[in-house]
Amino acid sequence: MRKYEHKKIEGKWQKVWEKKKLNVAQSNSRKKKYYILVEFPYPSGDGLHTGHIRSYTALDIVARKRRAEGYNVLYPMGWDAFGLPTENYALKTGIHPKVVTKKNTDNFRRQLKSIGFSFDWSREINTTDPAYFKWTQWIFLKFLEKGLAYKAKRPINWCLSCKIGLADEEIVDGKCERCGGETEKRDKEQWMLAITKYADRLDKDLDSVDYLDKIKIQQRNWIGRSEGAELNFQLTINNKQLGEVTVFTTRPDTLFGATYLVLAPEHPLVEKLKNKIKNKEEVLRYVVISKKKSEMDRTAEGKEKTGVELQGILAINPASKEKIPVYVADYVLRAYGTGAIMAVPAHDKRDFAFAEKFKLPILEVISGTKRDGMYSGPGFLINSGQWNGRRSDEALPEIVKAVGGEIKTTFKLRDWVFSRQRYWGEPIPVIHCSVCGTVPVPEKDLPVELPNVKSYKPSDTGESPLTSISSWVNVKCPKCKGKAKRETDTMPNWAGSSWYYLRYADPKNRKMFAGKQALKYWTPVNWYNGGMEHTVLHLLYSRFWHKFLYDLKLVPTKEPYAKRTSHGLILAGGGVKMSKSKGNVVNPDSIVKLLGADTLRHYEMFMGPFDQSIAWNTEAVAGSRRFLERVWKLYDAIEKEKPNKKGEVNVSLEALFHQTIKKVGEDIESLKMNTAVSSMMILLNAFEKEGKVSRVHYATFLRLLAPFAPHVTEELWAFLGEKSSIHLEPWPKYDARKLISERVNIPVQINGKVRATLSLSRDLDDDQAKGAALAHPDIMRLIMGKQIKRIIYIKERIINIVL
Ligand code: ANZ
Ligand code: ZN
């Protein structure tokens, strides 16, 4: 048999598959559907990252298995192509973002095709295509129509070097997520989307979906549902009433212990009362300083508490009727709850630290509480008037009622700052008329396209570069036909990805973002995989858009994604981030060229547990190549004649064979691709040990391997004389009766330390047991590149490898 030459194989089969439309999803099919989605990439100038390949390969394997199980599979790909790097590149070079985007997507597409992913390329989409963003704009207008898009002056985070407004989520450790530069707060009119209106459902409906627990937890934390109450405190000055402050508390049961009140520095009452405060100057100075600090700085745990008393003003505790002092302090945030708190230093850590510093009274109201430790559960009330001796959780609603408060649920989630003052985004489709106000662009005039410009420079005043293009800005008002101006803000780059999975269902539709029929058939997405970094942004945003469209009866399901998993990152050797500046980026092109796409895919699946971050290991890539070469060579060992009926069947090999079918199938379902690969390695070892392989075993083995290494298996399949594609074959079934041969668990040690446990059949001989130990992924990784001195196998007891 000739040599394994990936170059002759891979391109050839890719063309055949494309011609035969093997991966095209059927539009009007009676078959059961299965929709698999991976996060579409931002087509950066750097090309495809090895990390993209990891998640795309894993879900490609699932897609191929589903097709083999008889499903009509949709596994689409497209481009999330609006974004800052492209605009910044245009700024530097003067090349239009459209041109840059075209070049980059062409490169990405070429790369993805070279790896043999089974994407349905006939459904490719691009968020920067006017035929696409017409619908992004259309959905925005629906938000506007329903009152969920509104303009508000917001202290937004402003990056001084990008000159762009950033959402809270785009600030990492007080710095701009994109450039790492300084940020400050600035007041600016912004378009907002009222995601908070959906906070409750975004939280509750997580119960109905199959997301990894850690994903649900992150979403829930971000939404931050909090059950509590709003209570009113009277303010007084010289015994005269000044009005009320409403506080939000999760612990109204501790009301008697509220020994002072705190307002956020930005609380409107501070401004309103300023002329009544004795130490006005000091208070206002404090307010100015606080506004400069990031939220993170203000609330960081263990940070020294600061604040200033509003001298002359007192509040009345509505339960105890005690007069208590009022402070401004930056640990209270304006945007959460009501922006004011009752401080209970005996039972709240932050209040305790503050009270210690400012020598404020600390009054215990729940027994069993240590003064410094935090008592968070219920207990028995003390110092609480008529409720003394009662269980605090039972008394809670009574206390709220007695003081005229209101049980209330609050969320940490904020409305979404939806505008950017940049060029390369979807123009927000409204027109400002001095007579009619804000007028939506009529549907027939969508999409509002971007004008061609020479300069993409944002202005120092923070306005979009679009502001200076008068021919584009100055338009007629759609209502009164008078002079009017276009909105120059564009949408954030989260817009296009908030609904892209719907477009794949019906990507060429010109009348609607997707037709009802297509949506009914394809949604929800059955399985969506993406990065953990998108859990609280993209995932939440798209769930919000989906629910909104559901309310308009434009999509048939409440949730967009039935299942969500996520992958770990691929790091450079040594466990550091791959980055251009460090020169440690692995270029997939060179691996495809040198060793083949199948090797790359196989290695990325074998490298380690899918959900963990793993460092790239060049030697291990070569190991994957060797594995495929051994599969290739095994073809020569296929038995020419049929085995005799009796006597010749190797029972333990037969059991291993069926176990492998079972294991590979199950591992794929739980994305344990590394152990699926290692079980195929064990089976290959066993075949080699046997010195021969039956045609049935070999063909089945190829079918198991086909989703992982689609090209080489297709070639070998053709060698077997098969006429149609291996990828059209049904998924192999195992025979449950043949699964069992007697097995024992055997620990594998390296230099005396247990590193893995193997489940081996009792009748394996010395060499087979050692071979299985060496093929175990954990062991392989540990002995990689090291000299093995000897291997000791104590039958059915232990294997020890000495290095
Ligand atoms: C009194 C109290 C007593 C509180 C106690 C807690 C424990 P979560 O659970 O995160 O929702 N709080 C309310 N609004 C705030 C704001 N704008 N900035 C900072 N803190 C604020 O937290 C709710 C609790 O955080 C509220 O309940 C309030 O303190 C504080 F033993 O009221 B608590
Ligand atoms: Zn008008």
Side-chain angles (χ1 to χ4, degrees), residues 143 148 150 192-200 202 222-223 413-417 536-537 540-545:
F143 277 116
L148 293 177
Y150 63 97
M192 309 288 296
L193 287 189
I195 188 171
T196 52
K197 291 246 158 59
Y198 283 74
D200 193 35
L202 287 168
W222 192 260
I223 296 165
L413 190 67
R414 313 278 167 80
D415 275 350
W416 173 8
V417 181
V536 292
L537 311 175
L540 201 61
Y541 292 155
S542 56
R543 289 183 61 226
F544 162 47
W545 280 45

Side-chain angles (χ1 to χ4, degrees), residues 113-128:
K113 286 192 171 178
S114 80
I115 294 161
F117 293 123
S118 64
F119 293 130
D120 178 354
W121 286 105
S122 73
R123 291 172 188 253
E124 179 181 335
I125 58 174
N126 185 329
T127 55
T128 66

